[in-house]
Amino acid sequence: MRDASRSQFPHFLSIPTRWMDNDIYGHVNNVVYYSYFDTAVNQFLIERGVLDIHLGEVVGFVVDSGCSYFSSISFPDIVHAGIRVAKLGNSSVRYEIALYRNDDPLPCAAGHFVHVYVDRSSNRSVPIPAATRAVLASIQHSI
């Protein structure tokens, strides 16, 4: 996804970097990139009304994630997180996320994030609810 253009992502969330995101080397620390992934995906689901982080009976647990870094982000950059669904299974979904710095045309980092949907009370996997599946299908990437 190193050469992924912004047009390949159907949804974006702008995330301002914070002073505390920079590490001793003067750029955003690698672990913060994962928080950008998490924020972009969950904000999308909350805005679409299919994730209730406090009372929802079914929630998504992260079971796999990865990130490749291409160039640095530093405070006070704005991160534009593009998300798309790469695979929509019965109880899991694989997102692809690309992080673009300011107006850069190519991502400075890209990766994936997998949610498995579980019943909150039992922590057992369950099928993705129909409303959630419809929302996820709306950003599914076709190759």
Side-chain angles (χ1 to χ4, degrees):
M1 282 199 301
R2 180 182 201 120
D3 297 324
S5 70
R6 291 178 187 236
S7 65
Q8 295 174 5
F9 294 87
H11 180 78
F12 277 87
L13 176 68
S14 295
I15 306 169
T17 57
R18 303 167 303 169
W19 174 258
M20 65 184 261
D21 294 342
N22 280 7
D23 62 18
I24 194 71
Y25 301 117
H27 60 260
V28 170
N29 190 269
N30 62 308
V31 300
V32 178
Y33 289 67
Y34 286 93
S35 73
Y36 297 152
F37 289 179
D38 208 9
T39 297
V41 168
N42 287 301
Q43 183 69 34
F44 171 76
L45 296 172
I46 290 167
E47 286 176 353
R48 298 305 187 278
V50 295
L51 175 60
D52 182 339
I53 61 173
H54 300 291
L55 302 174
E57 293 178 16
V58 175
V59 294
F61 283 179
V62 176
V63 297
D64 184 39
S65 62
C67 185
S68 296
Y69 306 92
F70 311 125
S71 61
S72 296
I73 300 171
S74 298
F75 176 82
D77 290 330
I78 302 294
V79 175
H80 302 278
I83 66 171
R84 64 189 182 197
V85 167
K87 183 175 184 226
L88 188 54
N90 181 51
S91 62
S92 66
V93 57
R94 179 185 169 100
Y95 302 94
E96 292 178 338
I97 304 105
L99 303 178
Y100 297 86
R101 179 185 52 237
N102 303 320
D103 295 326
D104 291 354
L106 296 177
C108 53
H112 70 277
F113 189 90
V114 177
H115 268 157
V116 169
Y117 280 80
V118 300
D119 175 82
R120 185 190 296 260
S121 61
S122 71
N123 285 337
R124 295 210 177 264
S125 68
V126 296
I128 298 170
T132 304
R133 178 173 293 284
V135 166
L136 295 171
S138 75
I139 62 166
Q140 192 161 14
H141 181 67
S142 58
I143 297 175

